[in-house]
């Protein structure tokens, strides 16, 4: 009743001065982040967040990692009101899922992400890790058909259902520098050769990935790639691993042992001997499987 008595200007001021500080974990931007960087607190609710983005069209970066309840309506509000947004992050990693198993993101779907991408043409980073009700193939096609295709630099889709269609659409993002497709059902990575600026690619647990596509993609990456993870991709064998090292002279992490054919073909000592190229390359990161 008290809110109903306020004018629209006073109501907006109340939301800015009272509600906004309570819903932010922090508004202090981390290094290399935009000035208007928001980390959403766990107590934030759907209607409160819609208010915030309606009142703050200048926001450039939003982090929803700790917000337990996110809906399509929130993303639609961002897409319609925040054209300057450059970074959007909502990650549901294993730790969050264990602690919040009763709070699945069933209300965050392809519809909301589609509205966000279409309404925020300056997006440079889009993180949707473990948003399992989002169809990765459809989102990648939306990105391909929007201005985001030219601006996107970091794309996180770990645990989001993706296939070869998603990989083909992503290949049009020629300014892409980071790509995470953990658990992808894709088989062919060859079209990613068009992304010549990629310096970090993760396709861990991509059990269907074919070795020929990995080699073709690396021909396009060349000097740009620094980190490549194919842990769990059974088709990656010793010959593939050595070929990647030849094609990518600046790679410093090539996670090609754990869960791949390399571990079956070579013992630990043989791996050290075979891959002793005089370069300090990490071949097995246990955190990437």
């Amino acid at each position: 009743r008290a809110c109903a008595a306020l004018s629209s200007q006073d109501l907006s001021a109340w939301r800015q001065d009272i509600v906004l500080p309570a819903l932010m974990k922090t508004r202090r931007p981390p290094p290399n982040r935009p000035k208007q960087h928001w980390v959403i607190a766990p107590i934030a609710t759907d209607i409160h967040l819609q208010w915030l983005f309606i009142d703050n069209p200048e926001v450039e970066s939003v982090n929803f990692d700790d917000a337990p309840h996110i809906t399509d309506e929130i993303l639609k509000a961002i897409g319609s009101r925040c054209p300057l947004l450059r970074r959007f992050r909502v990650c549901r990693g294993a730790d969050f899922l264990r602690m919040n198993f009763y709070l699945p993101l069933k209300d965050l779907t392809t519809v909301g992400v589609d509205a966000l991408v279409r309404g925020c043409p300056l997006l440079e980073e889009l993180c949707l890790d473990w948003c399992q009700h989002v169809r990765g193939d459809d989102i990648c096609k939306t990105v391909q058909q929007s201005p985001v295709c030219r601006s996107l630099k970091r794309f996180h889709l770990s645990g989001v259902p993706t296939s070869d269609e998603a990989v083909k659409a992503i290949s049009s993002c020629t300014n892409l520098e980071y790509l995470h497709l953990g658990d992808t059902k894709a088989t062919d990575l060859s079209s990613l050769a068009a992304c010549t600026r990629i310096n970090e690619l993760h396709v861990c647990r991509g059990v269907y990935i074919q070795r020929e596509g990995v080699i073709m993609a690396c021909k396009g990456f060349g000097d740009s790639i620094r980190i490549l993870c194919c842990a769990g991709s059974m088709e990656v064998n010793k010959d593939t691993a050595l070929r990647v090292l030849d094609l990518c002279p600046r790679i410093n992490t090539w996670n090609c042992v754990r869960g791949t054919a390399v571990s079956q073909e070579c013992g630990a000592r043989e791996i050290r001997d075979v891959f002793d190229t005089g370069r300090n390359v990490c071949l097995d990161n246990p955190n990437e499987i």
Side-chain angles (χ1 to χ4, degrees), residues 11-278:
L11 183 59
S12 178
W14 171 72
R15 294 198 296 246
Q16 287 289 103
D17 298 337
I18 305 299
V19 179
L20 178 61
L23 299 185
M24 298 295 111
K25 282 185 64 179
T26 176
R27 290 189 68 180
R28 181 184 302 168
N32 302 319
R33 289 295 188 181
K35 182 178 180 181
Q36 287 293 334
H37 173 76
W38 290 0
V39 179
I40 307 300
I43 64 169
T45 64
D46 183 80
I47 189 63
H48 288 146
L49 290 171
Q50 290 183 59
W51 283 351
L52 297 182
F53 294 113
I54 288 173
D55 289 340
N56 296 275
E58 76 284 357
V59 65
E60 298 177 25
S61 176
V62 182
N63 185 324
F64 280 98
D65 284 1
D66 293 320
H69 186 66
I70 308 168
T71 69
D72 286 342
E73 297 307 313
I74 295 172
L75 270 66
K76 289 178 182 178
I78 297 174
S80 64
R81 295 285 184 166
C82 304
L84 301 180
L85 191 73
R86 294 182 181 275
R87 294 177 177 87
F88 178 88
R89 179 179 175 86
V90 51
C91 175
R92 289 299 182 257
D95 291 340
F96 183 95
L97 294 174
R98 280 195 295 269
M99 295 170 60
N100 301 275
F101 63 92
Y102 52 88
L103 290 171
L105 287 180
K106 57 181 175 42
D107 295 322
L108 176 58
T109 71
T110 308
V111 174
V113 180
D114 186 274
L116 175 81
V117 171
R118 294 185 186 279
C120 302
L122 302 180
L123 270 178
E124 296 178 3
E125 178 176 357
L126 180 58
C127 177
L128 301 168
D129 285 347
W130 297 100
C131 295
Q132 296 173 327
H133 290 270
V134 173
R135 296 190 299 273
D137 289 359
D138 291 345
I139 293 306
C140 291
K141 290 176 183 176
T142 300
V143 167
Q144 181 185 30
Q145 297 165 5
S146 72
V148 172
C149 178
R150 296 186 293 274
S151 63
L152 195 63
K153 295 180 180 179
R154 298 179 63 86
F155 204 4
H156 307 244
L157 289 170
S158 182
V160 176
T162 55
S163 70
D164 286 329
E165 293 300 315
V167 173
K168 291 176 182 177
I170 292 170
S171 67
S172 62
C173 301
T174 53
N175 289 317
L176 203 62
E177 298 174 358
Y178 176 102
L179 178 61
H180 203 311
L181 289 175
D183 296 279
T184 183
K185 297 298 188 292
T187 62
D188 185 10
L189 301 181
S190 60
S191 58
L192 291 179
C195 301
T196 57
R197 298 186 180 185
I198 279 189
N199 55 58
E200 192 166 340
L201 173 62
H202 298 261
V203 286
C204 43
R205 303 178 303 278
V207 296
Y208 303 108
I209 290 172
Q210 301 297 306
R211 61 178 72 105
E212 295 83 2
V214 174
I215 292 172
M216 290 299 296
C218 287
K219 286 182 178 179
F221 301 157
D223 289 348
S224 70
I225 191 79
R226 299 293 190 276
I227 298 174
L228 175 58
C229 175
C230 287
S233 301
M234 283 300 301
E235 280 286 313
V236 174
N237 58 15
K238 180 175 69 175
D239 292 339
T240 306
L242 289 170
R243 182 67 173 138
V244 168
L245 289 175
D246 289 338
L247 293 169
C248 305
R250 295 189 179 181
I251 196 169
N252 55 51
T253 300
W254 171 205
N255 201 3
C256 61
V257 176
R258 193 173 295 260
T260 70
V262 174
S263 61
Q264 298 177 357
E265 295 175 342
C266 308
R269 178 174 296 179
E270 187 179 359
I271 288 174
R272 288 196 299 269
D273 294 340
V274 169
F275 294 97
D276 184 11
T277 60

